[in-house]
mmCIF file of all heavy atoms in Angstrom:
data_model
loop_
_atom_site.group_PDB
_atom_site.id
_atom_site.type_symbol
_atom_site.label_atom_id
_atom_site.label_comp_id
_atom_site.label_asym_id
_atom_site.label_seq_id
_atom_site.Cartn_x
_atom_site.Cartn_y
_atom_site.Cartn_z
ATOM 1 N N MET A 592 -17.288 9.125 0.140
ATOM 2 C CA MET A 592 -18.150 9.153 -1.042
ATOM 3 C C MET A 592 -19.206 10.245 -0.927
ATOM 4 O O MET A 592 -19.665 10.786 -1.932
ATOM 5 C CB MET A 592 -18.854 7.796 -1.209
ATOM 6 C CG MET A 592 -17.928 6.675 -1.579
ATOM 7 S SD MET A 592 -17.154 6.916 -3.159
ATOM 8 C CE MET A 592 -16.461 5.296 -3.451
ATOM 9 N N SER A 594 -18.872 13.125 0.796
ATOM 10 C CA SER A 594 -18.341 14.451 1.103
ATOM 11 C C SER A 594 -18.082 15.220 -0.186
ATOM 12 O O SER A 594 -18.136 14.667 -1.272
ATOM 13 C CB SER A 594 -17.022 14.334 1.866
ATOM 14 O OG SER A 594 -17.187 13.624 3.043
ATOM 15 N N TYR A 595 -17.765 16.497 -0.008
ATOM 16 C CA TYR A 595 -17.292 17.272 -1.151
ATOM 17 C C TYR A 595 -15.915 16.756 -1.534
ATOM 18 O O TYR A 595 -15.211 16.132 -0.736
ATOM 19 C CB TYR A 595 -17.207 18.757 -0.795
ATOM 20 C CG TYR A 595 -18.549 19.390 -0.567
ATOM 21 C CD1 TYR A 595 -18.817 20.069 0.610
ATOM 22 C CD2 TYR A 595 -19.545 19.311 -1.522
ATOM 23 C CE1 TYR A 595 -20.051 20.653 0.829
ATOM 24 C CE2 TYR A 595 -20.779 19.884 -1.320
ATOM 25 C CZ TYR A 595 -21.032 20.559 -0.141
ATOM 26 O OH TYR A 595 -22.245 21.119 0.074
ATOM 27 N N GLU A 596 -15.506 17.127 -2.734
ATOM 28 C CA GLU A 596 -14.288 16.526 -3.273
ATOM 29 C C GLU A 596 -13.066 16.830 -2.399
ATOM 30 O O GLU A 596 -12.226 15.960 -2.160
ATOM 31 C CB GLU A 596 -14.066 17.031 -4.690
ATOM 32 C CG GLU A 596 -13.153 16.146 -5.488
ATOM 33 C CD GLU A 596 -12.828 16.761 -6.834
ATOM 34 O OE1 GLU A 596 -13.526 17.699 -7.244
ATOM 35 O OE2 GLU A 596 -11.859 16.311 -7.452
ATOM 36 N N ASP A 597 -12.957 18.063 -1.906
ATOM 37 C CA ASP A 597 -11.748 18.411 -1.152
ATOM 38 C C ASP A 597 -11.695 17.688 0.191
ATOM 39 O O ASP A 597 -10.634 17.248 0.619
ATOM 40 C CB ASP A 597 -11.638 19.928 -0.972
ATOM 41 C CG ASP A 597 -12.913 20.529 -0.430
ATOM 42 O OD1 ASP A 597 -13.947 19.842 -0.472
ATOM 43 O OD2 ASP A 597 -12.881 21.670 0.044
ATOM 44 N N VAL A 613 -16.217 3.422 -9.160
ATOM 45 C CA VAL A 613 -17.657 3.520 -8.937
ATOM 46 C C VAL A 613 -18.380 2.749 -10.033
ATOM 47 O O VAL A 613 -17.875 2.590 -11.139
ATOM 48 C CB VAL A 613 -18.159 4.981 -8.924
ATOM 49 C CG1 VAL A 613 -17.607 5.742 -7.757
ATOM 50 C CG2 VAL A 613 -17.855 5.677 -10.225
ATOM 51 N N PHE A 615 -21.787 2.564 -12.278
ATOM 52 C CA PHE A 615 -22.723 3.558 -12.747
ATOM 53 C C PHE A 615 -23.610 2.949 -13.813
ATOM 54 O O PHE A 615 -23.127 2.379 -14.793
ATOM 55 C CB PHE A 615 -21.933 4.749 -13.304
ATOM 56 C CG PHE A 615 -22.776 5.777 -13.980
ATOM 57 C CD1 PHE A 615 -23.739 6.451 -13.264
ATOM 58 C CD2 PHE A 615 -22.614 6.057 -15.317
ATOM 59 C CE1 PHE A 615 -24.528 7.392 -13.882
ATOM 60 C CE2 PHE A 615 -23.392 7.002 -15.935
ATOM 61 C CZ PHE A 615 -24.355 7.680 -15.219
ATOM 62 N N ILE A 626 -25.225 4.978 -7.386
ATOM 63 C CA ILE A 626 -26.111 6.101 -7.082
ATOM 64 C C ILE A 626 -27.350 5.583 -6.346
ATOM 65 O O ILE A 626 -27.833 6.207 -5.393
ATOM 66 C CB ILE A 626 -26.501 6.840 -8.387
ATOM 67 C CG1 ILE A 626 -25.312 7.629 -8.915
ATOM 68 C CG2 ILE A 626 -27.675 7.755 -8.163
ATOM 69 C CD1 ILE A 626 -24.986 8.876 -8.152
ATOM 70 N N PHE A 629 -26.468 4.828 -2.889
ATOM 71 C CA PHE A 629 -25.768 5.931 -2.239
ATOM 72 C C PHE A 629 -26.353 6.285 -0.872
ATOM 73 O O PHE A 629 -25.603 6.608 0.058
ATOM 74 C CB PHE A 629 -25.786 7.151 -3.158
ATOM 75 C CG PHE A 629 -25.077 8.333 -2.607
ATOM 76 C CD1 PHE A 629 -23.735 8.264 -2.308
ATOM 77 C CD2 PHE A 629 -25.750 9.516 -2.354
ATOM 78 C CE1 PHE A 629 -23.082 9.341 -1.781
ATOM 79 C CE2 PHE A 629 -25.093 10.592 -1.824
ATOM 80 C CZ PHE A 629 -23.753 10.509 -1.543
ATOM 81 N N LYS A 663 -26.001 19.545 -1.872
ATOM 82 C CA LYS A 663 -24.927 18.671 -1.410
ATOM 83 C C LYS A 663 -24.858 17.409 -2.248
ATOM 84 O O LYS A 663 -23.785 16.913 -2.571
ATOM 85 C CB LYS A 663 -25.153 18.321 0.070
ATOM 86 C CG LYS A 663 -24.067 17.454 0.638
ATOM 87 C CD LYS A 663 -23.536 17.930 1.961
ATOM 88 C CE LYS A 663 -22.230 17.251 2.286
ATOM 89 N NZ LYS A 663 -21.793 17.364 3.641
ATOM 90 N N MET A 664 -26.027 16.918 -2.613
ATOM 91 C CA MET A 664 -26.085 15.730 -3.468
ATOM 92 C C MET A 664 -25.398 16.012 -4.797
ATOM 93 O O MET A 664 -24.610 15.200 -5.294
ATOM 94 C CB MET A 664 -27.567 15.377 -3.691
ATOM 95 C CG MET A 664 -27.799 14.208 -4.602
ATOM 96 S SD MET A 664 -27.330 12.677 -3.829
ATOM 97 C CE MET A 664 -26.944 11.689 -5.257
ATOM 98 N N LEU A 665 -25.681 17.172 -5.375
ATOM 99 C CA LEU A 665 -25.148 17.473 -6.709
ATOM 100 C C LEU A 665 -23.634 17.665 -6.693
ATOM 101 O O LEU A 665 -23.006 17.668 -7.744
ATOM 102 C CB LEU A 665 -25.811 18.733 -7.262
ATOM 103 C CG LEU A 665 -27.286 18.595 -7.633
ATOM 104 C CD1 LEU A 665 -27.836 19.918 -8.105
ATOM 105 C CD2 LEU A 665 -27.460 17.553 -8.716
ATOM 106 N N ASN A 666 -23.049 17.871 -5.530
ATOM 107 C CA ASN A 666 -21.622 18.162 -5.494
ATOM 108 C C ASN A 666 -20.812 17.160 -4.691
ATOM 109 O O ASN A 666 -19.619 17.364 -4.498
ATOM 110 C CB ASN A 666 -21.397 19.558 -4.925
ATOM 111 C CG ASN A 666 -21.846 20.608 -5.909
ATOM 112 O OD1 ASN A 666 -21.271 20.743 -6.974
ATOM 113 N ND2 ASN A 666 -22.899 21.321 -5.573
ATOM 114 N N CYS A 667 -21.460 16.103 -4.213
ATOM 115 C CA CYS A 667 -20.692 15.144 -3.435
ATOM 116 C C CYS A 667 -19.854 14.282 -4.392
ATOM 117 O O CYS A 667 -20.084 14.257 -5.597
ATOM 118 C CB CYS A 667 -21.599 14.277 -2.577
ATOM 119 S SG CYS A 667 -22.622 13.200 -3.532
ATOM 120 N N LEU A 668 -18.899 13.622 -3.811
ATOM 121 C CA LEU A 668 -17.934 12.872 -4.620
ATOM 122 C C LEU A 668 -18.616 11.814 -5.474
ATOM 123 O O LEU A 668 -18.322 11.671 -6.661
ATOM 124 C CB LEU A 668 -16.888 12.237 -3.701
ATOM 125 C CG LEU A 668 -15.765 11.503 -4.420
ATOM 126 C CD1 LEU A 668 -14.870 12.491 -5.123
ATOM 127 C CD2 LEU A 668 -14.950 10.675 -3.448
ATOM 128 N N MET A 669 -19.540 11.079 -4.867
ATOM 129 C CA MET A 669 -20.169 9.983 -5.610
ATOM 130 C C MET A 669 -20.917 10.510 -6.827
ATOM 131 O O MET A 669 -20.823 9.949 -7.919
ATOM 132 C CB MET A 669 -21.119 9.234 -4.663
ATOM 133 C CG MET A 669 -21.889 8.119 -5.318
ATOM 134 S SD MET A 669 -20.857 7.005 -6.252
ATOM 135 C CE MET A 669 -20.178 6.024 -4.954
ATOM 136 N N TYR A 670 -21.619 11.624 -6.656
ATOM 137 C CA TYR A 670 -22.347 12.199 -7.778
ATOM 138 C C TYR A 670 -21.377 12.623 -8.872
ATOM 139 O O TYR A 670 -21.566 12.343 -10.046
ATOM 140 C CB TYR A 670 -23.159 13.394 -7.291
ATOM 141 C CG TYR A 670 -24.161 13.905 -8.297
ATOM 142 C CD1 TYR A 670 -25.469 13.459 -8.276
ATOM 143 C CD2 TYR A 670 -23.792 14.823 -9.262
ATOM 144 C CE1 TYR A 670 -26.391 13.913 -9.195
ATOM 145 C CE2 TYR A 670 -24.694 15.280 -10.188
ATOM 146 C CZ TYR A 670 -26.008 14.827 -10.158
ATOM 147 O OH TYR A 670 -26.903 15.280 -11.071
ATOM 148 N N LYS A 671 -20.317 13.297 -8.443
ATOM 149 C CA LYS A 671 -19.359 13.799 -9.425
ATOM 150 C C LYS A 671 -18.704 12.648 -10.187
ATOM 151 O O LYS A 671 -18.552 12.702 -11.399
ATOM 152 C CB LYS A 671 -18.270 14.610 -8.707
ATOM 153 C CG LYS A 671 -18.685 16.024 -8.354
ATOM 154 C CD LYS A 671 -17.521 16.721 -7.704
ATOM 155 C CE LYS A 671 -17.513 18.191 -7.990
ATOM 156 N NZ LYS A 671 -16.306 18.835 -7.477
ATOM 157 N N LEU A 672 -18.316 11.615 -9.464
ATOM 158 C CA LEU A 672 -17.626 10.513 -10.127
ATOM 159 C C LEU A 672 -18.571 9.736 -11.037
ATOM 160 O O LEU A 672 -18.174 9.258 -12.087
ATOM 161 C CB LEU A 672 -17.011 9.572 -9.093
ATOM 162 C CG LEU A 672 -15.932 10.173 -8.210
ATOM 163 C CD1 LEU A 672 -15.270 9.097 -7.388
ATOM 164 C CD2 LEU A 672 -14.883 10.906 -9.021
ATOM 165 N N SER A 673 -19.824 9.623 -10.620
ATOM 166 C CA SER A 673 -20.759 8.879 -11.459
ATOM 167 C C SER A 673 -21.082 9.650 -12.719
ATOM 168 O O SER A 673 -21.127 9.088 -13.813
ATOM 169 C CB SER A 673 -22.048 8.606 -10.673
ATOM 170 O OG SER A 673 -21.832 7.645 -9.688
ATOM 171 N N TYR A 674 -21.293 10.940 -12.575
ATOM 172 C CA TYR A 674 -21.807 11.709 -13.703
ATOM 173 C C TYR A 674 -20.747 12.552 -14.397
ATOM 174 O O TYR A 674 -21.085 13.405 -15.198
ATOM 175 C CB TYR A 674 -22.951 12.611 -13.223
ATOM 176 C CG TYR A 674 -24.185 11.839 -12.848
ATOM 177 C CD1 TYR A 674 -24.708 11.905 -11.569
ATOM 178 C CD2 TYR A 674 -24.815 11.026 -13.775
ATOM 179 C CE1 TYR A 674 -25.842 11.195 -11.225
ATOM 180 C CE2 TYR A 674 -25.944 10.302 -13.434
ATOM 181 C CZ TYR A 674 -26.453 10.393 -12.167
ATOM 182 O OH TYR A 674 -27.557 9.680 -11.826
ATOM 183 N N TYR A 675 -19.485 12.338 -14.099
ATOM 184 C CA TYR A 675 -18.442 13.133 -14.744
ATOM 185 C C TYR A 675 -18.513 12.953 -16.257
ATOM 186 O O TYR A 675 -18.482 11.822 -16.764
ATOM 187 C CB TYR A 675 -17.077 12.702 -14.207
ATOM 188 C CG TYR A 675 -15.910 13.449 -14.810
ATOM 189 C CD1 TYR A 675 -15.777 14.815 -14.605
ATOM 190 C CD2 TYR A 675 -14.962 12.796 -15.573
ATOM 191 C CE1 TYR A 675 -14.726 15.511 -15.153
ATOM 192 C CE2 TYR A 675 -13.898 13.480 -16.123
ATOM 193 C CZ TYR A 675 -13.778 14.842 -15.913
ATOM 194 O OH TYR A 675 -12.733 15.519 -16.460
ATOM 195 N N ARG A 676 -18.646 14.043 -16.972
ATOM 196 C CA ARG A 676 -18.750 14.087 -18.431
ATOM 197 C C ARG A 676 -19.981 13.381 -18.967
ATOM 198 O O ARG A 676 -20.107 13.152 -20.174
ATOM 199 C CB ARG A 676 -17.488 13.498 -19.085
ATOM 200 C CG ARG A 676 -16.250 14.275 -18.757
ATOM 201 C CD ARG A 676 -15.100 13.862 -19.605
ATOM 202 N NE ARG A 676 -15.336 14.212 -21.005
ATOM 203 C CZ ARG A 676 -14.593 13.748 -22.007
ATOM 204 N NH1 ARG A 676 -13.589 12.956 -21.762
ATOM 205 N NH2 ARG A 676 -14.855 14.096 -23.245
ATOM 206 N N PHE A 677 -20.902 13.020 -18.076
ATOM 207 C CA PHE A 677 -22.119 12.342 -18.532
ATOM 208 C C PHE A 677 -23.019 13.330 -19.261
ATOM 209 O O PHE A 677 -23.792 12.943 -20.137
ATOM 210 C CB PHE A 677 -22.837 11.737 -17.325
ATOM 211 C CG PHE A 677 -24.043 10.926 -17.675
ATOM 212 C CD1 PHE A 677 -23.936 9.791 -18.460
ATOM 213 C CD2 PHE A 677 -25.298 11.292 -17.221
ATOM 214 C CE1 PHE A 677 -25.046 9.041 -18.779
ATOM 215 C CE2 PHE A 677 -26.417 10.542 -17.541
ATOM 216 C CZ PHE A 677 -26.294 9.417 -18.320
ATOM 217 N N ILE A 698 -29.913 14.609 -15.650
ATOM 218 C CA ILE A 698 -29.165 14.893 -14.426
ATOM 219 C C ILE A 698 -29.089 16.386 -14.159
ATOM 220 O O ILE A 698 -29.211 17.209 -15.076
ATOM 221 C CB ILE A 698 -27.740 14.286 -14.470
ATOM 222 C CG1 ILE A 698 -26.942 14.848 -15.638
ATOM 223 C CG2 ILE A 698 -27.814 12.789 -14.521
ATOM 224 C CD1 ILE A 698 -25.473 14.551 -15.539
ATOM 225 N N ASN A 700 -26.552 18.197 -12.615
ATOM 226 C CA ASN A 700 -25.262 18.883 -12.661
ATOM 227 C C ASN A 700 -24.467 18.309 -13.825
ATOM 228 O O ASN A 700 -23.863 17.243 -13.724
ATOM 229 C CB ASN A 700 -24.524 18.681 -11.327
ATOM 230 C CG ASN A 700 -23.212 19.430 -11.287
ATOM 231 O OD1 ASN A 700 -22.817 20.075 -12.251
ATOM 232 N ND2 ASN A 700 -22.535 19.347 -10.163
ATOM 233 N N ASP A 702 -22.118 20.034 -15.549
ATOM 234 C CA ASP A 702 -20.804 20.654 -15.720
ATOM 235 C C ASP A 702 -19.953 20.298 -14.514
ATOM 236 O O ASP A 702 -19.798 21.080 -13.590
ATOM 237 C CB ASP A 702 -20.975 22.165 -15.861
ATOM 238 C CG ASP A 702 -19.644 22.836 -16.123
ATOM 239 O OD1 ASP A 702 -18.797 22.207 -16.766
ATOM 240 O OD2 ASP A 702 -19.466 23.980 -15.669
ATOM 241 N N ILE A 703 -19.431 19.082 -14.521
ATOM 242 C CA ILE A 703 -18.687 18.604 -13.357
ATOM 243 C C ILE A 703 -17.203 18.745 -13.621
ATOM 244 O O ILE A 703 -16.686 18.262 -14.630
ATOM 245 C CB ILE A 703 -19.056 17.142 -13.055
ATOM 246 C CG1 ILE A 703 -20.512 17.080 -12.592
ATOM 247 C CG2 ILE A 703 -18.141 16.560 -12.006
ATOM 248 C CD1 ILE A 703 -21.054 15.704 -12.470
ATOM 249 N N LYS A 704 -16.543 19.445 -12.731
ATOM 250 C CA LYS A 704 -15.087 19.591 -12.838
ATOM 251 C C LYS A 704 -14.467 18.825 -11.677
ATOM 252 O O LYS A 704 -14.895 18.959 -10.547
ATOM 253 C CB LYS A 704 -14.699 21.062 -12.711
ATOM 254 C CG LYS A 704 -15.253 21.948 -13.804
ATOM 255 C CD LYS A 704 -14.176 22.241 -14.840
ATOM 256 C CE LYS A 704 -14.672 23.215 -15.894
ATOM 257 N NZ LYS A 704 -15.873 22.763 -16.607
ATOM 258 N N LEU A 705 -13.457 18.058 -11.996
ATOM 259 C CA LEU A 705 -12.760 17.340 -10.934
ATOM 260 C C LEU A 705 -11.435 18.027 -10.661
ATOM 261 O O LEU A 705 -10.696 18.358 -11.585
ATOM 262 C CB LEU A 705 -12.511 15.892 -11.354
ATOM 263 C CG LEU A 705 -13.748 15.016 -11.451
ATOM 264 C CD1 LEU A 705 -13.397 13.684 -12.051
ATOM 265 C CD2 LEU A 705 -14.375 14.833 -10.092
ATOM 266 N N GLU A 706 -11.175 18.249 -9.397
ATOM 267 C CA GLU A 706 -9.951 18.958 -9.053
ATOM 268 C C GLU A 706 -8.888 18.014 -8.511
ATOM 269 O O GLU A 706 -7.709 18.143 -8.819
ATOM 270 C CB GLU A 706 -10.279 20.016 -8.007
ATOM 271 C CG GLU A 706 -9.194 21.057 -7.849
ATOM 272 C CD GLU A 706 -9.560 22.093 -6.803
ATOM 273 O OE1 GLU A 706 -10.747 22.154 -6.408
ATOM 274 O OE2 GLU A 706 -8.668 22.816 -6.371
ATOM 275 N N TYR A 707 -9.316 17.067 -7.709
ATOM 276 C CA TYR A 707 -8.348 16.211 -7.031
ATOM 277 C C TYR A 707 -8.271 14.809 -7.624
ATOM 278 O O TYR A 707 -7.452 14.009 -7.229
ATOM 279 C CB TYR A 707 -8.689 16.099 -5.549
ATOM 280 C CG TYR A 707 -8.632 17.427 -4.836
ATOM 281 C CD1 TYR A 707 -9.774 18.165 -4.617
ATOM 282 C CD2 TYR A 707 -7.411 17.936 -4.404
ATOM 283 C CE1 TYR A 707 -9.725 19.383 -3.974
ATOM 284 C CE2 TYR A 707 -7.351 19.151 -3.764
ATOM 285 C CZ TYR A 707 -8.510 19.872 -3.548
ATOM 286 O OH TYR A 707 -8.438 21.078 -2.915
ATOM 287 N N LEU A 708 -9.163 14.522 -8.548
ATOM 288 C CA LEU A 708 -9.131 13.211 -9.173
ATOM 289 C C LEU A 708 -9.144 13.403 -10.675
ATOM 290 O O LEU A 708 -9.517 14.463 -11.165
ATOM 291 C CB LEU A 708 -10.356 12.383 -8.765
ATOM 292 C CG LEU A 708 -10.460 11.996 -7.311
ATOM 293 C CD1 LEU A 708 -11.597 12.729 -6.666
ATOM 294 C CD2 LEU A 708 -10.661 10.516 -7.167
ATOM 295 N N GLU A 710 -10.092 11.152 -14.398
ATOM 296 C CA GLU A 710 -10.663 9.925 -14.922
ATOM 297 C C GLU A 710 -9.546 9.047 -15.456
ATOM 298 O O GLU A 710 -8.687 9.505 -16.216
ATOM 299 C CB GLU A 710 -11.652 10.263 -16.040
ATOM 300 C CG GLU A 710 -12.407 9.055 -16.523
ATOM 301 C CD GLU A 710 -13.440 9.411 -17.582
ATOM 302 O OE1 GLU A 710 -13.488 10.583 -17.970
ATOM 303 O OE2 GLU A 710 -14.159 8.519 -17.994
ATOM 304 N N TRP A 717 -19.935 2.183 -19.682
ATOM 305 C CA TRP A 717 -19.870 3.129 -18.556
ATOM 306 C C TRP A 717 -20.298 2.506 -17.241
ATOM 307 O O TRP A 717 -20.606 3.222 -16.295
ATOM 308 C CB TRP A 717 -20.743 4.373 -18.810
ATOM 309 C CG TRP A 717 -20.237 5.296 -19.864
ATOM 310 C CD1 TRP A 717 -19.821 4.971 -21.113
ATOM 311 C CD2 TRP A 717 -20.086 6.722 -19.778
ATOM 312 N NE1 TRP A 717 -19.440 6.090 -21.793
ATOM 313 C CE2 TRP A 717 -19.598 7.179 -21.000
ATOM 314 C CE3 TRP A 717 -20.333 7.651 -18.760
ATOM 315 C CZ2 TRP A 717 -19.344 8.522 -21.251
ATOM 316 C CZ3 TRP A 717 -20.093 8.984 -19.019
ATOM 317 C CH2 TRP A 717 -19.602 9.418 -20.262
ATOM 318 N N ARG A 720 -16.513 2.909 -13.597
ATOM 319 C CA ARG A 720 -15.672 4.067 -13.876
ATOM 320 C C ARG A 720 -14.581 4.124 -12.815
ATOM 321 O O ARG A 720 -14.856 4.004 -11.629
ATOM 322 C CB ARG A 720 -16.492 5.354 -13.846
ATOM 323 C CG ARG A 720 -17.768 5.251 -14.666
ATOM 324 C CD ARG A 720 -18.360 6.604 -14.949
ATOM 325 N NE ARG A 720 -17.507 7.374 -15.827
ATOM 326 C CZ ARG A 720 -17.748 8.637 -16.182
ATOM 327 N NH1 ARG A 720 -18.807 9.254 -15.697
ATOM 328 N NH2 ARG A 720 -16.927 9.290 -16.970
ATOM 329 N N TYR A 722 -11.269 6.218 -11.288
ATOM 330 C CA TYR A 722 -10.616 7.515 -11.235
ATOM 331 C C TYR A 722 -9.312 7.391 -10.480
ATOM 332 O O TYR A 722 -9.199 6.619 -9.527
ATOM 333 C CB TYR A 722 -11.521 8.536 -10.537
ATOM 334 C CG TYR A 722 -12.747 8.847 -11.329
ATOM 335 C CD1 TYR A 722 -13.864 8.030 -11.238
ATOM 336 C CD2 TYR A 722 -12.788 9.922 -12.196
ATOM 337 C CE1 TYR A 722 -14.989 8.284 -11.988
ATOM 338 C CE2 TYR A 722 -13.908 10.190 -12.949
ATOM 339 C CZ TYR A 722 -15.010 9.374 -12.842
ATOM 340 O OH TYR A 722 -16.117 9.629 -13.593
#
Side-chain angles (χ1 to χ4, degrees):
Chain A
M592 292 297 193
S594 301
Y595 292 126
E596 200 187 345
D597 51 345
V613 294
F615 173 62
I626 288 286
F629 181 60
K663 182 132 195 195
M664 178 71 206
L665 290 177
N666 289 294
C667 67
L668 184 70
M669 177 50 79
Y670 191 94
K671 280 182 149 186
L672 297 189
S673 288
Y674 290 120
Y675 180 64
R676 297 191 66 193
F677 184 62
I698 60 166
N700 183 358
D702 183 32
I703 293 171
K704 297 259 184 302
L705 291 172
E706 196 180 346
Y707 298 97
L708 294 111
E710 187 177 4
W717 290 49
R720 311 196 67 184
Y722 293 84

